[in-house]
Structures are given as C-alpha cells and as structure tokens.
Amino acid sequence: TQETQIPRLHSNATRSMSALLRTRIFSPSTFRAMTIAVNGKLPAATVALIENGKVSNDVNLAEAFAGKKVALFGVPGAFTPTCSEKHLPGYIANADKLHAKGIDQIVCLSVNDPFVMKAWADAVGAGDKVAMAADGALSFTSAAGLELPIGGQLGTRCKRFSMVIDNGTVTALNVEDGGDFKVSSAEHLLENL
C-alpha cells in the first residue's frame, strides 16, 4: 500500500487550536447531551458537500446517505495538526480497506465553510477517497449534539467522532473525550466493522 503524504500545515493559528484542544479542561457542564445514538436516525441537517472537487450547497445528509453505508467522521477544524496529520490521512490511506468492508462512501465533516473544506481536500489529496462536509452553520453538529465549545477566536467546533450510517441509521458511534484521538480513527473503525 502506498502511504499518502500530507504536507505539514502548521501556522500560529493551527498550533494555538491544537494546544487548546490538548490542554483545555473539559468539564461535563461544558457539553450538552448528545442527541445522536446507535440505532438512531441521522438528523436531517444541511451542509455543503465537496466530492471530487465539486461543491454542492444545501445538501441534506439524511437524504444524501439514504440507501448507502457511510463512514462519517468529524474533526474540530480543517488544517489543524491532528486533523491534517493523523485523522483525515488515516481515512484516505484506509479508504480501500473500508470499501472492502462494505462502506460505500467516506465523509469528513468539520465546522468550516465550503471554501476551506475544498482547499483542505485539495491540499491533502482527498480526491475521490474522502468527501468533505462543510458544516459552517453547525447544522449537523448541533442537531447531533456534537458541539465542542472551545471559546475565544475558535468558538464552537465539532467533537472528534466517527460513525457508520447504514441507510440512514447509525450503526456505530465513536466520540472522543475533549481533544483525544483514539476511538475515531479509521483504524479503530476498521477493527470494529
């Protein structure tokens, strides 16, 4: 297998977000309860979807994923260190293995605008392996109860997660604590398919 080479995408902003995610104290009162759960339906939330370089606005994820088995994973932000160096590259590198296990589509979701998500997909070479969902208005993130309130200039982001959706029903759900990166990786999802 050929490893995907991802450029190091560091700046003061990405280092700051990474530091906040690693060091911020996340208390239970910081978060509201998740509304998404295994055996539950995917919320009818609208995002921009970037597939093979083409941006489609106002895409209802529940409708777009109907009749498919989808691996959806969420990250706090595009171009941030863990997201760019580990999380997204893991799904790109393991796309063929996920497809071999019955996954029809792999989608990365982040609270960013479609222009940033398209630029990120281009920068990391997501190509036809991973589609990008821009949830700039927190439509899906809020509906699923996956908000990560970081504060400051970074505002509210999406918790790091992975899930499998089979014809609109969540069949697997892995949500990280705070800034962790353990259970939402492509490798963890593969082990549990």
Side-chain angles (χ1 to χ4, degrees):
T1 350
Q2 180 183 1
E3 286 189 23
T4 305
Q5 295 296 319
I6 306 300
R8 288 181 110 12
L9 304 167
H10 288 282
S11 70
N12 288 338
T14 59
R15 280 192 295 277
S16 296
M17 182 171 184
S18 179
L20 275 172
L21 288 172
R22 282 193 314 272
T23 61
R24 182 171 164 89
I25 297 171
F26 294 97
S27 68
S29 63
T30 306
F31 307 106
R32 69 181 184 90
M34 283 191 318
T35 54
I36 197 159
V38 172
N39 297 321
K41 289 292 184 183
L42 193 69
T46 303
V47 301
L49 195 62
I50 299 96
E51 298 178 276
N52 297 314
K54 181 179 179 260
V55 178
S56 300
N57 291 305
D58 301 320
V59 174
N60 180 311
L61 285 182
E63 292 174 4
F65 295 169
K68 296 180 187 175
K69 190 170 185 179
V70 178
L72 174 66
F73 67 101
V75 298
F79 291 105
T80 58
T82 301
C83 304
S84 292
E85 294 170 10
K86 296 177 184 174
H87 209 165
L88 178 54
Y91 280 91
I92 294 169
N94 287 290
D96 291 337
K97 291 177 185 173
L98 286 162
H99 291 306
K101 291 242 184 176
I103 297 294
D104 297 312
Q105 185 176 22
I106 304 165
V107 180
C108 173
L109 180 136
S110 185
V111 178
N112 289 105
D113 65 65
F115 303 104
V116 169
M117 292 299 281
K118 183 180 181 313
W120 192 31
D122 292 345
V124 299
D128 63 351
K129 293 185 182 267
V130 177
M132 308 296 262
D135 192 19
L138 288 106
S139 175
F140 176 84
T141 301
S142 294
L146 291 167
E147 299 100 325
L148 177 65
I150 297 173
Q153 295 298 315
L154 299 172
T156 301
R157 296 296 177 138
C158 180
K159 290 181 183 179
R160 193 177 299 282
F161 72 86
S162 68
M163 67 176 74
V164 175
I165 303 114
D166 194 349
N167 195 25
T169 300
V170 178
T171 59
L173 177 62
N174 307 294
V175 182
E176 302 285 3
D177 290 325
D180 287 350
F181 177 60
K182 297 174 185 170
V183 299
S184 63
S185 70
E187 295 78 9
H188 182 83
L189 194 64
L190 268 170
E191 288 172 12
N192 293 285
L193 277 177

